Amino acid sequence: MNGFRRLSPQEIADRLRERIRAGELKPGDRLPTQAELAEEFGVERGAVRQALRALQEGGLLTNVSKGSPPRIAAPAPARDEPQPTMVGLAPRLAEAFSARRVRVDVVCHTAETLMVAIGEPLRLIHEGRIQPESIDVRILVPARDIELAFPVPVEAHGDDNPVHQRWLAMRNAQGQVLQHNLLALRSTHGIDVHVTFRALPFTPPVKLYLLNGEEALIGYYMLTRRAEEWGSQTLDMYDVLGSQSLLFSFVRQAGLRDAAFVQESQKWFDALWETITTDLTLS
């Protein structure tokens, strides 16, 4: 064709990858539209779509769909280096919230860590850097009246259990703050937001975060004895510090083992969610 050779999808992907590595395109930035990229590289849109899929499979892009240009993904933490929940969760949530339709499913003991970590994607939304159309958050926490495995007092106090009362107050207050901050996006940004809690009939031994069906983050609760001031009392109890639990990441695109873990975790959550059926009022 008069000496002109069209670029292959791999060559297009390589050029875009180089721009990302050079910092010309930064995490959270949108790529040009498929039509614009096709014009720039002198190819059909099909070649552009193949290139974008290759970059997505390499973990460099998020939100690859027909509806809007994809975004540059935040760098994932090293696979062999699990991070404390309070460190690792916020950037993963920020990446998940860059999708048009956000779905976050959570199993936890209280919503404390999620309440804090959600501040990062909320900041990006308020800055206009990400603009999801819908956000659906489903959270499973222990029911108020069950006998918790933790926290528990070191010494029993009969029917009066201030350790349980403290946990319940924290569960409700943190959940209410999280719910309020997310639902406020309806009026401030016109985002279709749903936040739903349901009550587990048992104490979860792990915390689990499922992000858009693409990533599963799991952290194991480690029991410790500690004292905590609450009101006018000093509570001596066996408890966990969930914010210090190490998060292990499993990404669907990382391989068959990770994909299977994400898929099975999502199936387990969905089945448990449907079994409980009744939404929880935090009070």
Side-chain angles (χ1 to χ4, degrees):
M1 299 178 60
N2 300 323
F4 178 81
R5 184 181 68 84
R6 290 182 182 272
L7 296 176
S8 69
Q10 183 60 52
E11 290 172 318
I12 297 170
D14 288 342
R15 293 194 181 188
L16 292 173
R17 188 180 293 109
E18 188 56 38
R19 294 178 190 178
I20 295 171
R21 289 174 175 168
E24 297 176 25
L25 294 169
K26 299 178 175 57
D29 288 348
R30 283 195 186 278
L31 281 181
T33 65
Q34 291 184 12
E36 290 169 338
L37 289 172
E39 181 178 359
E40 175 184 352
F41 293 114
V43 297
E44 300 293 333
R45 290 194 190 186
V48 171
R49 284 195 290 270
Q50 292 181 51
L52 296 183
R53 280 197 294 269
L55 293 175
Q56 183 184 35
E57 291 169 0
L60 295 177
L61 295 182
T62 62
N63 196 30
V64 176
S65 67
K66 295 181 181 180
S68 61
R71 291 183 181 276
I72 308 304
R79 303 288 298 162
D80 57 349
E81 296 181 6
Q83 295 181 310
T85 305
M86 199 61 80
V87 175
L89 183 58
R92 309 312 297 163
L93 281 173
E95 181 179 342
F97 271 63
S98 69
R100 289 178 60 205
R101 300 187 180 278
V102 180
R103 188 181 77 237
V104 177
D105 295 329
V106 181
V107 179
C108 56
H109 197 242
T110 71
E112 179 181 15
T113 306
L114 182 61
M115 176 192 70
V116 175
I118 209 77
E120 177 62 14
L122 290 180
R123 180 182 65 81
L124 295 176
I125 290 173
H126 289 299
E127 289 179 355
R129 295 176 60 185
I130 57 177
Q131 297 175 327
E133 293 179 2
S134 66
I135 300 171
D136 187 12
V137 179
R138 302 186 297 177
I139 304 172
L140 290 168
V141 291
R144 64 179 298 140
D145 296 327
I146 67 171
E147 185 174 347
L148 292 172
F150 55 83
V152 292
V154 172
E155 296 183 3
H157 293 273
D159 293 335
D160 180 33
N161 186 348
V163 170
H164 187 92
Q165 294 169 12
R166 169 186 168 276
W167 164 79
L168 182 60
M170 290 176 58
R171 187 205 73 171
N172 292 343
Q174 292 161 1
Q176 288 168 358
V177 170
L178 173 68
Q179 195 169 45
H180 170 79
N181 289 342
L182 283 168
L183 292 179
L185 295 173
R186 289 178 176 176
S187 58
T188 60
H189 291 75
I191 301 174
D192 182 22
V193 181
H194 298 273
V195 183
T196 311
F197 288 81
R198 289 186 181 174
L200 289 169
F202 59 87
T203 308
V206 298
K207 54 172 53 184
L208 176 68
Y209 305 93
L210 298 167
L211 309 180
N212 295 333
E214 295 295 329
E215 181 174 15
L217 297 160
I218 186 169
Y220 296 89
Y221 288 119
M222 301 299 291
L223 197 63
T224 184
R225 180 174 177 173
R226 67 192 191 93
E228 184 79 20
E229 298 293 329
W230 191 65
S232 60
Q233 306 176 70
T234 300
L235 304 180
D236 188 15
M237 57 187 164
Y238 294 108
D239 196 9
V240 294
L241 296 174
S243 62
Q244 297 179 14
S245 299
L246 292 180
L247 276 186
F248 295 82
S249 171
F250 298 84
V251 181
R252 183 184 290 273
Q253 296 169 351
L256 292 178
R257 185 179 62 177
D258 278 35
F261 184 87
V262 174
Q263 183 176 10
E264 292 305 313
S265 296
Q266 190 66 63
K267 286 182 179 179
W268 174 80
F269 182 96
D270 290 341
L272 187 56
W273 184 266
E274 294 303 322
T275 298
I276 296 172
T277 70
T278 304
D279 293 348
L280 170 66
T281 301
L282 296 168
S283 61

